[in-house]
Amino acid sequence: MAGEIRRWDPFQEVLSLRRAIDRILDEAFARPSLFFGSADWPAVDIYETKDEVVVKAAVPGVRPEDLEVTVSGNTVTLRGELREEQEAREGSWVRQERRFGAFTRSFVLPVEVVADRATAEYEHGILTLRLPKAEAVKARTIKVKVK
């Protein structure tokens, strides 16, 4: 109400601060991507050409033998594991932000592809998948005959 006079309550400010801290902590555990980077890892770029769909996934530090690619219909699944380096260290961590462990990411491609003719290359931490389009989805030009 306009013109309402309220008595100052110092405990109300403490409760308001507590609610704000509780909300921040809840979001940190309910949606860790807010604090720990994107939940969609590895990051991918997907583009389509006339004959194929190309997927580029950034997987730095992952060894090629630790990657697995599965294609089922028009769904691609990437699985892998980023292993922590086991080197001798003295002292304790000041900051550790790199992720380690297993990951899985699936996405649906815009068209059907031929999994048997797909290729995968790994260079400088980038996995490149080339997935040829199925013949049924390729655009065809039909010549019109005049009678």
Side-chain angles (χ1 to χ4, degrees):
M1 294 182 136
E4 179 181 354
I5 298 176
R6 292 183 8 167
R7 187 175 187 176
W8 178 64
D9 182 2
F11 295 108
Q12 187 63 34
E13 289 184 21
V14 171
L15 288 174
S16 177
L17 177 61
R18 167 133 188 187
R19 278 193 288 283
I21 291 171
D22 287 344
R23 187 178 66 247
I24 289 170
L25 292 175
D26 286 344
E27 287 178 358
F29 292 106
R31 294 187 298 162
S33 64
L34 291 176
F35 294 92
F36 303 115
S38 173
D40 295 329
W41 196 89
V44 296
D45 294 332
I46 302 173
Y47 63 92
E48 186 177 356
T49 67
K50 184 180 88 170
D51 297 321
E52 66 186 0
V53 176
V54 179
V55 177
K56 292 191 174 216
V59 286
V62 178
R63 298 183 317 205
E65 58 268 18
D66 292 334
L67 286 170
E68 177 185 307
V69 179
T70 306
V71 180
S72 177
N74 64 338
T75 301
V76 174
T77 301
L78 300 176
R79 286 186 181 84
E81 184 172 0
L82 181 58
R83 299 176 193 275
E84 188 170 6
E85 300 145 4
Q86 299 297 324
E87 58 185 53
R89 286 190 187 89
E90 292 183 26
S92 60
W93 287 104
V94 173
R95 178 177 290 210
Q96 185 178 16
E97 295 179 346
R98 295 183 302 151
R99 300 176 183 209
F100 296 102
F103 62 87
T104 300
R105 179 145 188 225
S106 294
F107 38 89
V108 177
L109 300 175
V111 295
E112 291 288 325
V113 295
V114 182
D116 295 339
R117 293 193 347 228
T119 62
E121 296 175 353
Y122 183 82
E123 183 178 9
H124 302 298
I126 303 294
L127 174 67
T128 302
L129 305 174
R130 296 190 177 280
L131 305 148
K133 291 181 180 179
E135 291 296 322
V137 298
K138 286 186 182 177
R140 289 188 174 79
T141 302
I142 302 171
K143 190 117 177 149
V144 177
K145 296 180 184 178
V146 178
K147 286 190 174 187

